Amino acid sequence: MSKQLVVLNTDAVACCEPLAQAALDVSQAESLAPMFKALGDPIRLRLLSMITSAEGGEACVCDMTPQFDVSGPTISHHLKVLREAGLIEGDRRGTWIWYRPMPAALGALAAVLAVSQPALV
Amino acid sequence: MSKQLVVLNTDAVACCEPLAQAALDVSQAESLAPMFKALGDPIRLRLLSMITSAEGGEACVCDMTPQFDVSGPTISHHLKVLREAGLIEGDRRGTWIWYRPMPAALGALAAVLAVSQPALV
DNA sequence: TCCTTGTCTAGATGTTCTTCTAATCAGCCG
DNA sequence: CGGCTGATTAGAAGAACATCTAGACAAGGA
């Protein structure tokens, strides 16, 4: 129940030039869109930002859940969406489950959005 | 019929540090999520990439519509979603309507996703 | 003026998403 | 072993979304 994630991303991570330089083809768009869709919810965006900015590079579900007004299973569902989009990965360590970001996937999304000349920075 | 778009973005464009540096607060997440959601559909992603990469910095609806398998009104609907997310803007010029990207909004999204030290790569 | 072409709006329909409660699975400790 | 806490899965209900057809509006040419 967690295999198809890999498939999606291997494509997408290796994917694309900035939008400003070349139009995406159909398959590139279909690889990238699910990742953007996963970011298209405020709860998931906050979860991802908590995970990405956490000290040590990973965050425990137990620390994140109390910061939201929704139920535990709902948080679990959103984490699963992020996981299946290839943006994060998690593993159990003893009692708790820890999530960390997948920098390559995030980097790919950022690269696609990059305004033409990042080199100038 | 094109005023409320501006409202959303003024916030969001000025928004946020990279995810890796600080967790988003609730209002930042709620400003950014609709933009990512707008990108979360392959058709909209292709439309945006056509507009952004078009010569002259803008693209005519008449050139984009034939490249998709869906009806004209469906394309129009997706352009409206991108418009209301503040990612593009359009205006009629004679018979045709031309769309152009809003670089500040795209830049804001890219900045949020930016992985902290791309320099290390 | 009327007709044609390009684009958008309105309304309907089937699908997908978000969230909940209830139940299940995994690890820890007495 | 038995019970406890943490997290996920299952299933259901309601909201939101993508798409279509039909109709309306705008601009240009005969």
Side-chain angles (χ1 to χ4, degrees):
Chain A
M1 208 63 89
S2 60
K3 43 193 176 355
Q4 72 273 43
L5 2 149
V6 186
V7 181
L8 270 177
N9 308 333
T10 338
D11 285 355
V13 167
C15 182
C16 313
E17 299 179 77
L19 285 183
Q21 287 176 25
L24 297 171
D25 66 31
V26 177
S27 69
Q28 289 171 330
E30 287 176 352
S31 295
L32 291 168
M35 298 198 212
F36 283 117
K37 182 185 266 186
L39 297 179
D41 181 283
I43 291 179
R44 288 196 292 266
L45 212 40
R46 287 174 61 204
L47 284 169
L48 180 65
S49 76
M50 287 177 193
I51 293 167
T52 306
S53 66
E55 288 182 40
E58 54 188 7
C60 177
V61 177
C62 57
D63 291 328
M64 296 189 283
T65 303
Q67 302 191 44
F68 294 87
D69 288 335
V70 298
S71 67
T74 298
I75 295 299
S76 186
H77 161 76
H78 285 303
L79 287 169
K80 184 180 180 184
V81 172
L82 289 170
R83 220 166 53 222
E84 291 185 344
L87 298 172
I88 60 175
E89 63 179 356
D91 65 319
R92 177 181 291 273
R93 204 164 313 144
T95 305
W96 296 286
I97 297 185
W98 297 80
Y99 278 96
R100 29 178 195 290
M102 306 273 279
L106 296 173
L109 296 182
V112 168
L113 290 178
V115 190
S116 355
Q117 319 84 328
L120 293 187
V121 182
Chain B
M1 207 60 89
S2 60
K3 46 191 173 354
Q4 72 275 39
L5 3 151
V6 185
V7 180
L8 269 178
N9 309 333
T10 336
D11 285 355
V13 165
C15 183
C16 312
E17 299 179 78
L19 284 186
Q21 286 175 28
L24 298 171
D25 66 31
V26 178
S27 70
Q28 289 172 331
E30 287 175 352
S31 294
L32 291 167
M35 299 197 211
F36 283 118
K37 183 186 266 186
L39 297 179
D41 180 284
I43 292 180
R44 289 197 291 267
L45 212 42
R46 287 173 61 202
L47 284 169
L48 181 65
S49 76
M50 286 176 192
I51 293 167
T52 306
S53 66
E55 288 181 40
E58 52 188 9
C60 177
V61 178
C62 57
D63 291 328
M64 294 188 284
T65 302
Q67 302 191 44
F68 294 87
D69 288 335
V70 298
S71 67
T74 297
I75 295 299
S76 185
H77 161 75
H78 284 303
L79 287 169
K80 184 181 181 183
V81 172
L82 289 170
R83 219 165 57 222
E84 292 185 343
L87 299 172
I88 60 174
E89 63 181 354
D91 64 322
R92 179 180 289 273
R93 204 165 311 146
T95 305
W96 296 288
I97 297 186
W98 296 79
Y99 279 96
R100 37 183 187 289
M102 307 273 280
L106 296 174
L109 296 182
V112 168
L113 290 179
V115 187
S116 9
Q117 319 85 329
L120 292 188
V121 185

